[in-house]
Amino acid sequence: AVMLAITATALGHHASNLDYDENLVGTVDGVVFDIFWANPHIHIYLTVASDDGSSETWDMEGPNLNSLRRRGVTRGAIEVGDEIAVTGTLGRDGTRRIWAESIVKADGTVVMEAPQ
């Protein structure tokens, strides 16, 4: 019974990964306007220019704080106003979200590399 409870909890937490289509990988370029730097996953909200000249809001989701720390990413690595390119798995059904695998600032600074 304990193993079943642990398994259900783990699946429940990772059910959010169903929000992303592992077959859709892309890059989103935008300007950071808000950051939610907390567990279970960080969220960085971007303003992204559309092809028609308007802008869209995108939700960049990333690993938990411990995983980021192990990869050398700290709180000050990304700030509101930074222009970044995020590469990762895109949201299902055209939702404007991306699961970050790598993040690079406009000046070429690599904030987070894709895990090997």
Side-chain angles (χ1 to χ4, degrees):
V2 173
M3 288 303 291
L4 186 56
I6 291 171
T7 304
T9 303
L11 288 174
H13 172 76
H14 290 282
S16 65
N17 289 338
L18 298 174
D19 293 334
Y20 303 96
D21 184 340
E22 65 186 32
N23 296 312
L24 292 175
V25 176
T27 300
V28 174
D29 298 305
V31 177
V32 176
F33 73 85
D34 196 12
I35 302 171
F36 179 74
W37 195 270
N39 283 321
H41 299 163
I42 66 162
H43 286 265
I44 297 175
Y45 299 96
L46 305 171
T47 299
V48 177
S50 298
D51 293 336
D52 65 6
S54 63
S55 63
E56 302 172 334
T57 298
W58 278 70
D59 175 8
M60 185 226 82
E61 187 174 359
N64 66 55
L65 298 179
N66 289 332
S67 294
L68 288 171
R69 224 174 275 122
R70 282 192 301 270
R71 292 166 76 176
V73 181
T74 59
R75 253 181 221 266
I78 299 172
E79 298 179 349
V80 171
D82 285 348
E83 187 176 335
I84 62 174
V86 181
T87 300
T89 307
L90 300 173
R92 291 188 184 279
D93 303 323
T95 58
R96 294 184 187 108
R97 55 188 309 152
I98 185 168
W99 178 267
E101 293 293 334
S102 68
I103 303 170
V104 179
K105 289 186 176 182
D107 68 2
T109 302
V110 176
V111 176
M112 182 174 81
E113 291 185 288
Q116 302 300 323

